[in-house]
Amino acid sequence: MLAPVNTNKVNLLGFDKKGLEAFFVELGEKPFRATQILKWLYQEDVTDFEQMTNLSKSLRQYLQEHCCITPPEISVAQQASDGTRKWALQMSCGNRVETVFIPEENRGTLCVSSQVGCALACTFCSTAQQGFNRNLSTAEIIGQLYVAQRELGKSRRITNVVMMGMGEPLLNFDNVVAAMRLMMDDFAYGLSKRRVTISTSGVVPAMYRLTQECDVSLAVSLHAVNDELRNILVPINQKYPLKELLAACRDNVEHSPRKCITFEYVMLAGINDSVAEAKALLRLLKDIPSKMNLIPFNPFPNSLYQCSSPEAIDRFRAVLHNAGMVTTVRKTRGEDIDAACGQLVGKVNDKSRRAEKLKLASSSNVPRI
Ligand code: SAH
């Protein structure tokens, strides 16, 4: 049973610190009420305004009447044999998004979604097949940490966040940035900026804006070494080709204190995994301090590609490694519950009717690659 959503009340999960300060000032309260509320919400896990004892009685009463703390509802919870956990969260209008927790020895990473579905038609990603429905609100994004941390209990902490779930985070800029600010705020989750990573397919203007406005780690989904192939794999490349993408990466490196970008490269058999392409990758990135994260392709129903063989991945990795590039191969986690990269589908009322269009395209044998 879903709890009724009280649409008349203001959901306090929707504000970062600045937003909360403005909210309280508007009420005639002091701005420091914002940090008090943040602590109750994110550090003390208190949801009953009456228990927020450092607030005045009249403010507690006001909050009780006009505000709420409403995280997304869990509709399905799953745990993989390797300990990876996945929650399908019910959003409004029957949509679902997925959030994945990946436990490792020294850290616990939460993979967070930014949109219901995705508008970018990357041909190797199952979220793309679902089409796009809408942006998630700040409350729905930070709500994923809120719900997951609650489910994990005190024994396991979320130490890292990657915006690598469903959606393109830079196409939902304001809500994603507000949520990432809460992740890094000492009065909320207090994660260091090295532990909060945004991954983008290359929305170039938003990359420049991000560099100016929010200091987090940047990962860029590269996947190809020339425009011809990238136009197919990551179609937003038709709008922002490699030259422009790499200029935005250089700008980020120049202006960010970490001075390094992680590139993601999905390994597709016979498509982008040759030694020649590894060498071309080195040439392409020679003037950008880079780390490379090779992602073995995770298949999904009706996917067009196959994963490169372990030998091909290793050959590719060795070329980069021997040239001095820090290169990791992403370990596939949570495969038995479809929680791996690119397998998140949720349940989307597809506004772009992408699934229908794809069905038509495949039935008329239109070559897609
Ligand atoms: N839209 C953002 C974040 C989404 S996904 C982006 O494009 O970066 C996070 C990573 O998983 C991206 O690098 C994406 O390209 C990759 N990915 C998507 N589908 C995949 C699949 N089936 N197998 C492996 N990696 C995949």
Side-chain angles (χ1 to χ4, degrees):
M1 241 314 257
L2 292 182
V5 178
N6 190 334
T7 46
N8 300 323
K9 289 192 171 182
V10 177
N11 189 358
L12 295 183
L13 294 180
F15 293 115
D16 61 7
K17 185 160 73 202
K18 262 200 186 147
L20 270 180
E21 281 172 354
F23 176 75
F24 282 115
V25 167
E26 186 115 314
L27 290 180
E29 291 281 339
K30 291 275 187 287
F32 71 79
R33 295 289 179 213
T35 52
Q36 290 178 320
I37 286 284
L38 286 178
K39 277 178 139 178
W40 286 120
L41 258 57
Y42 298 108
Q43 297 182 359
E44 306 295 335
D45 195 20
V46 165
T47 50
D48 178 0
F49 293 115
E50 267 316 301
Q51 288 177 29
M52 301 184 181
T53 44
N54 53 2
L55 308 181
S56 68
K57 200 166 177 8
S58 60
L59 180 57
R60 293 201 305 254
Q61 200 165 354
Y62 179 90
L63 294 174
Q64 192 75 45
E65 281 166 23
H66 298 95
C67 299
C68 60
I69 301 162
T70 309
E73 297 262 341
I74 297 174
S75 60
V76 186
Q78 287 171 285
Q79 179 151 2
S81 50
D82 65 7
T84 299
R85 296 177 68 170
K86 179 169 94 169
W87 297 278
L89 303 173
Q90 190 70 43
M91 302 296 172
S92 60
C93 320
N95 295 309
R96 274 192 210 157
V97 299
E98 296 180 337
T99 299
V100 177
F101 179 74
I102 305 147
E104 284 170 283
E105 209 176 314
N106 304 319
R107 60 182 180 181
T109 304
L110 195 71
C111 180
V112 169
S113 294
S114 56
Q115 298 182 311
V116 182
C118 187
L120 305 180
C122 300
T123 45
F124 53 87
C125 178
S126 80
T127 306
Q129 310 256 320
Q130 305 294 304
F132 175 70
N133 188 278
R134 67 171 174 85
N135 282 332
L136 293 181
S137 66
T138 300
E140 289 167 329
I141 299 168
I142 203 67
Q144 295 172 58
L145 274 81
Y146 189 90
V147 167
Q149 189 58 68
R150 246 192 195 176
E151 288 287 295
L152 293 167
K154 291 213 164 26
S155 58
R156 274 231 79 123
R157 287 222 71 77
I158 297 166
T159 61
N160 294 60
V161 175
V162 290
M163 298 297 308
M164 294 184 187
M166 297 168 69
E168 167 49 53
L170 287 185
L171 288 179
N172 183 13
F173 192 95
D174 293 335
N175 295 345
V176 164
V177 164
M180 290 192 306
R181 290 204 172 113
L182 282 168
M183 295 170 199
M184 295 186 289
D185 195 311
D186 283 342
F187 294 100
Y189 289 103
L191 300 179
S192 102
K193 55 196 178 188
R194 283 188 312 277
R195 291 173 178 269
V196 176
T197 301
I198 192 166
S199 175
T200 182
S201 55
V203 187
V204 165
M207 287 170 70
Y208 283 102
R209 195 175 156 206
L210 183 77
T211 300
Q212 292 300 318
E213 291 184 24
C214 186
D215 185 14
V216 286
S217 299
L218 182 63
V220 173
S221 295
L222 196 59
H223 306 321
V225 292
N226 58 56
D227 285 325
E228 205 186 349
L229 179 59
R230 198 165 189 273
N231 283 343
I232 296 169
L233 297 180
V234 188
I236 199 174
N237 193 71
Q238 294 162 23
K239 197 163 178 191
Y240 306 116
L242 277 170
K243 199 168 166 226
E244 291 178 28
L245 174 64
L246 296 177
C249 291
R250 269 181 223 107
D251 175 74
N252 181 272
V253 168
E254 267 165 39
H255 295 99
S256 93
R258 273 173 316 286
K259 305 210 177 297
C260 178
I261 290 187
T262 300
F263 288 94
E264 293 156 284
Y265 194 96
V266 66
M267 299 300 296
L268 304 169
I271 303 283
N272 66 354
D273 61 350
S274 68
V275 165
E277 278 156 315
K279 288 180 179 163
L281 200 49
L282 288 167
R283 287 194 296 276
L284 198 66
L285 301 179
K286 66 177 184 307
D287 59 347
I288 303 177
S290 317
K291 280 188 197 160
M292 187 58 62
N293 194 203
L294 304 177
I295 316 177
F297 171 65
N298 293 304
F300 50 88
N302 303 321
S303 51
L304 300 167
Y305 306 101
Q306 277 167 352
C307 183
S308 308
S309 66
E311 297 75 36
I313 295 178
D314 202 52
R315 254 197 317 270
F316 200 93
R317 187 199 60 78
V319 172
L320 303 179
H321 175 82
N322 293 342
M325 185 181 277
V326 175
T327 308
T328 49
V329 178
R330 190 175 291 173
K331 232 171 111 189
T332 294
R333 301 287 306 262
E335 223 175 351
D336 50 338
I337 55 166
D338 289 339
C341 289
Q343 293 187 321
L344 303 186
V345 290
K347 176 167 168 281
V348 177
N349 293 327
D350 176 5
K351 279 192 181 159
S352 60
R353 297 174 54 222
R354 166 105 23 84
E356 252 168 74
K357 287 180 207 159
L358 281 176
K359 221 187 260 167
L360 267 179
S362 63
S363 64
S364 58
N365 277 333
V366 176
R368 269 170 281 147
I369 182 149

PDB file of all heavy atoms in Angstrom, residues 91 146 167 189 198 203 245 247 267 280 299 332 343:
ATOM      1  N   MET A  91       7.776   6.182  -8.075  1.00  0.00           N
ATOM      2  CA  MET A  91       7.646   7.630  -8.198  1.00  0.00           C
ATOM      3  C   MET A  91       6.193   7.919  -8.598  1.00  0.00           C
ATOM      4  O   MET A  91       5.428   6.998  -8.855  1.00  0.00           O
ATOM      5  CB  MET A  91       8.606   8.163  -9.259  1.00  0.00           C
ATOM      6  CG  MET A  91      10.067   7.836  -8.978  1.00  0.00           C
ATOM      7  SD  MET A  91      10.633   8.650  -7.471  1.00  0.00           S
ATOM      8  CE  MET A  91      12.253   7.939  -7.247  1.00  0.00           C
ATOM      9  N   TYR A 146      18.522   8.615   1.207  1.00  0.00           N
ATOM     10  CA  TYR A 146      17.753   8.579   2.453  1.00  0.00           C
ATOM     11  C   TYR A 146      17.160   7.186   2.668  1.00  0.00           C
ATOM     12  O   TYR A 146      17.306   6.586   3.728  1.00  0.00           O
ATOM     13  CB  TYR A 146      16.660   9.655   2.333  1.00  0.00           C
ATOM     14  CG  TYR A 146      15.891   9.947   3.577  1.00  0.00           C
ATOM     15  CD1 TYR A 146      16.321  10.927   4.472  1.00  0.00           C
ATOM     16  CD2 TYR A 146      14.700   9.279   3.850  1.00  0.00           C
ATOM     17  CE1 TYR A 146      15.592  11.227   5.615  1.00  0.00           C
ATOM     18  CE2 TYR A 146      13.972   9.578   4.989  1.00  0.00           C
ATOM     19  CZ  TYR A 146      14.420  10.542   5.864  1.00  0.00           C
ATOM     20  OH  TYR A 146      13.696  10.830   6.987  1.00  0.00           O
ATOM     21  N   GLY A 167      19.191   7.718 -16.448  1.00  0.00           N
ATOM     22  CA  GLY A 167      19.087   9.118 -16.846  1.00  0.00           C
ATOM     23  C   GLY A 167      20.420   9.788 -17.101  1.00  0.00           C
ATOM     24  O   GLY A 167      21.482   9.245 -16.802  1.00  0.00           O
ATOM     25  N   TYR A 189      24.945  14.665   4.466  1.00  0.00           N
ATOM     26  CA  TYR A 189      25.713  13.408   4.386  1.00  0.00           C
ATOM     27  C   TYR A 189      27.219  13.599   4.541  1.00  0.00           C
ATOM     28  O   TYR A 189      27.939  12.648   4.836  1.00  0.00           O
ATOM     29  CB  TYR A 189      25.386  12.672   3.083  1.00  0.00           C
ATOM     30  CG  TYR A 189      23.994  12.094   3.113  1.00  0.00           C
ATOM     31  CD1 TYR A 189      22.950  12.698   2.428  1.00  0.00           C
ATOM     32  CD2 TYR A 189      23.711  10.971   3.887  1.00  0.00           C
ATOM     33  CE1 TYR A 189      21.664  12.189   2.489  1.00  0.00           C
ATOM     34  CE2 TYR A 189      22.430  10.455   3.962  1.00  0.00           C
ATOM     35  CZ  TYR A 189      21.412  11.072   3.268  1.00  0.00           C
ATOM     36  OH  TYR A 189      20.146  10.567   3.342  1.00  0.00           O
ATOM     37  N   ILE A 198      29.748  12.538 -10.830  1.00  0.00           N
ATOM     38  CA  ILE A 198      28.670  12.667 -11.822  1.00  0.00           C
ATOM     39  C   ILE A 198      29.195  12.097 -13.133  1.00  0.00           C
ATOM     40  O   ILE A 198      30.329  12.356 -13.527  1.00  0.00           O
ATOM     41  CB  ILE A 198      28.220  14.138 -11.951  1.00  0.00           C
ATOM     42  CG1 ILE A 198      26.926  14.246 -12.754  1.00  0.00           C
ATOM     43  CG2 ILE A 198      29.290  15.024 -12.537  1.00  0.00           C
ATOM     44  CD1 ILE A 198      26.256  15.604 -12.633  1.00  0.00           C
ATOM     45  N   VAL A 203      27.124  16.266 -22.292  1.00  0.00           N
ATOM     46  CA  VAL A 203      26.274  17.436 -22.545  1.00  0.00           C
ATOM     47  C   VAL A 203      27.172  18.660 -22.338  1.00  0.00           C
ATOM     48  O   VAL A 203      27.307  19.204 -21.241  1.00  0.00           O
ATOM     49  CB  VAL A 203      25.064  17.467 -21.585  1.00  0.00           C
ATOM     50  CG1 VAL A 203      24.095  18.579 -21.972  1.00  0.00           C
ATOM     51  CG2 VAL A 203      24.356  16.119 -21.577  1.00  0.00           C
ATOM     52  N   LEU A 245      33.669  17.972 -26.880  1.00  0.00           N
ATOM     53  CA  LEU A 245      33.618  17.241 -25.607  1.00  0.00           C
ATOM     54  C   LEU A 245      34.972  17.305 -24.899  1.00  0.00           C
ATOM     55  O   LEU A 245      35.057  17.598 -23.703  1.00  0.00           O
ATOM     56  CB  LEU A 245      33.221  15.778 -25.872  1.00  0.00           C
ATOM     57  CG  LEU A 245      33.257  14.842 -24.664  1.00  0.00           C
ATOM     58  CD1 LEU A 245      32.247  15.262 -23.612  1.00  0.00           C
ATOM     59  CD2 LEU A 245      32.971  13.392 -25.089  1.00  0.00           C
ATOM     60  N   ALA A 247      37.335  19.486 -25.313  1.00  0.00           N
ATOM     61  CA  ALA A 247      37.637  20.859 -24.878  1.00  0.00           C
ATOM     62  C   ALA A 247      36.973  21.122 -23.521  1.00  0.00           C
ATOM     63  O   ALA A 247      37.570  21.734 -22.620  1.00  0.00           O
ATOM     64  CB  ALA A 247      37.159  21.862 -25.921  1.00  0.00           C
ATOM     65  N   MET A 267      33.062  -2.043 -23.318  1.00  0.00           N
ATOM     66  CA  MET A 267      33.795  -2.950 -24.206  1.00  0.00           C
ATOM     67  C   MET A 267      32.803  -3.771 -25.037  1.00  0.00           C
ATOM     68  O   MET A 267      32.145  -4.677 -24.528  1.00  0.00           O
ATOM     69  CB  MET A 267      34.707  -3.877 -23.386  1.00  0.00           C
ATOM     70  CG  MET A 267      35.775  -3.163 -22.570  1.00  0.00           C
ATOM     71  SD  MET A 267      36.928  -2.168 -23.553  1.00  0.00           S
ATOM     72  CE  MET A 267      37.738  -3.399 -24.556  1.00  0.00           C
ATOM     73  N   ALA A 280      44.602   4.662 -30.422  1.00  0.00           N
ATOM     74  CA  ALA A 280      43.956   5.928 -30.804  1.00  0.00           C
ATOM     75  C   ALA A 280      43.430   6.660 -29.564  1.00  0.00           C
ATOM     76  O   ALA A 280      43.468   7.891 -29.475  1.00  0.00           O
ATOM     77  CB  ALA A 280      42.818   5.647 -31.783  1.00  0.00           C
ATOM     78  N   PRO A 299      24.787  -7.377 -21.070  1.00  0.00           N
ATOM     79  CA  PRO A 299      23.675  -7.577 -22.007  1.00  0.00           C
ATOM     80  C   PRO A 299      22.316  -7.418 -21.323  1.00  0.00           C
ATOM     81  O   PRO A 299      22.213  -7.484 -20.098  1.00  0.00           O
ATOM     82  CB  PRO A 299      23.871  -9.016 -22.468  1.00  0.00           C
ATOM     83  CG  PRO A 299      24.673  -9.670 -21.395  1.00  0.00           C
ATOM     84  CD  PRO A 299      25.463  -8.610 -20.696  1.00  0.00           C
ATOM     85  N   THR A 332      31.844  -6.474 -12.700  1.00  0.00           N
ATOM     86  CA  THR A 332      30.390  -6.520 -12.836  1.00  0.00           C
ATOM     87  C   THR A 332      29.791  -7.007 -11.530  1.00  0.00           C
ATOM     88  O   THR A 332      30.173  -8.041 -11.018  1.00  0.00           O
ATOM     89  CB  THR A 332      29.992  -7.448 -13.997  1.00  0.00           C
ATOM     90  OG1 THR A 332      30.469  -6.839 -15.186  1.00  0.00           O
ATOM     91  CG2 THR A 332      28.489  -7.600 -14.089  1.00  0.00           C
ATOM     92  N   GLN A 343      21.798  -1.961 -17.056  1.00  0.00           N
ATOM     93  CA  GLN A 343      20.696  -2.932 -16.974  1.00  0.00           C
ATOM     94  C   GLN A 343      19.486  -2.369 -16.248  1.00  0.00           C
ATOM     95  O   GLN A 343      18.474  -3.045 -16.114  1.00  0.00           O
ATOM     96  CB  GLN A 343      21.166  -4.200 -16.258  1.00  0.00           C
ATOM     97  CG  GLN A 343      22.209  -4.981 -17.051  1.00  0.00           C
ATOM     98  CD  GLN A 343      22.535  -6.309 -16.409  1.00  0.00           C
ATOM     99  OE1 GLN A 343      22.624  -6.408 -15.190  1.00  0.00           O
ATOM    100  NE2 GLN A 343      22.738  -7.325 -17.221  1.00  0.00           N
TER     101      GLN A 343
END
